[in-house]
């Protein structure tokens, strides 16, 4: 244990140990919901280093962990080798460079494997809200003020800035009313919204419903069935059989009755 602590607090393992503490603290914040694992994707371009395609925090975390383990192993070997003075400083710098190279190689291989297994999903954009129905959250919406709540594909909600052009019919958007996001202004970072009537929405295409018949027509048809007289059936006395009509066969002569 004493050897481990001595190596962990010595150069160059102490550098990777500090970075590892920062990485662990960051992922604790992510688990607590205080940070996002994609927070640094827009600030750092890891594609130049060959470790792009995954969130920056993931690739950097893997690189720090591998570098810390490699530098710790090299530092332990330096302590056991007994080198001192200038030779020890040169060997420590060599361990630092070697740890960085090994960490970069391992991270690049793992990232390449993840890129093959995981499909590339485009990052969420505000353009995804175009064509969606929103709910106005401010008292009114004008050409320079307004906010609305819109629901994303994953079920989460977002508050966006909306603007309304003066409609020719004079309709207004007030709090709680529905609006349709039909355009986005990149310079002003807001959506253009128009009044939306949910009653006019035909809904998703599906099987057409049968038109409902009026109740008066249905009652009339029912009364006609009740008033329709039944067809009289021929009454046959019990125990008797119906006389069969003779069927003429082709080529047969009709029967004649001879008088006696």
């Amino acid at each position: 244990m004493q050897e481990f602590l001595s190596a962990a607090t010595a150069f160059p393992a102490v550098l990777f140990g500090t970075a590892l503490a920062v990485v662990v603290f960051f992922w604790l914040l992510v688990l607590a919901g205080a940070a996002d694992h994609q927070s640094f994707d827009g600030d750092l371009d890891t594609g130049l280093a060959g470790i792009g395609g995954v969130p920056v925090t993931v690739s950097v975390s893997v690189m720090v962990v591998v570098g810390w383990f490699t530098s710790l192993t090299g530092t332990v070997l330096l302590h056991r080798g007994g080198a001192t003075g200038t030779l020890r400083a040169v060997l420590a710098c060599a361990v630092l460079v070697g740890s960085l190279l090994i960490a970069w190689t391992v991270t690049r291989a793992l990232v390449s494997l993840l890129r093959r297994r995981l499909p590339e999903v485009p990052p969420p954009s505000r353009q995804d809200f175009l064509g969606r129905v929103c709910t106005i959250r401010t008292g009114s919406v004008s050409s320079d003020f307004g906010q609305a709540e819109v629901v994303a594909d994953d079920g989460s909600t977002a508050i966006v800035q909306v603007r309304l052009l003066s409609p020719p019919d004079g309709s207004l958007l007030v709090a709680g009313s529905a609006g349709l996001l039909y355009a986005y202004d990149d310079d002003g970072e807001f959506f253009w919204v128009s009044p939306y009537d949910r009653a006019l929405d035909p809904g998703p295409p599906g099987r057409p419903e049968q038109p409902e018949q009026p109740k008066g027509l249905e009652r009339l048809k029912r009364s006609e069935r009740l008033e329709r007289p039944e067809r009289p059936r021929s009454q046959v006395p019990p125990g008797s059989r119906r006389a069969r009509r003779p069927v003429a066969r082709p080529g047969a002569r009709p029967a004649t009755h001879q008088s006696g």
Side-chain angles (χ1 to χ4, degrees), residues 62-80:
V62 173
M63 192 170 181
V64 168
V65 171
V66 176
W68 174 79
F69 180 79
T70 307
S71 63
L72 182 64
T73 304
T75 305
V76 171
L77 295 178
L78 282 179
H79 286 180
R80 293 180 179 181

Side-chain angles (χ1 to χ4, degrees), residues 4 49 63 70 74 92 95 144 159 161 197 215 229 234 249 257:
F4 171 78
M63 192 170 181
T70 307
V95 170
D144 55 359
I159 300 297
Q161 302 293 327
D197 189 358
K215 295 183 179 180
S234 58
R249 298 179 180 179
H257 295 277

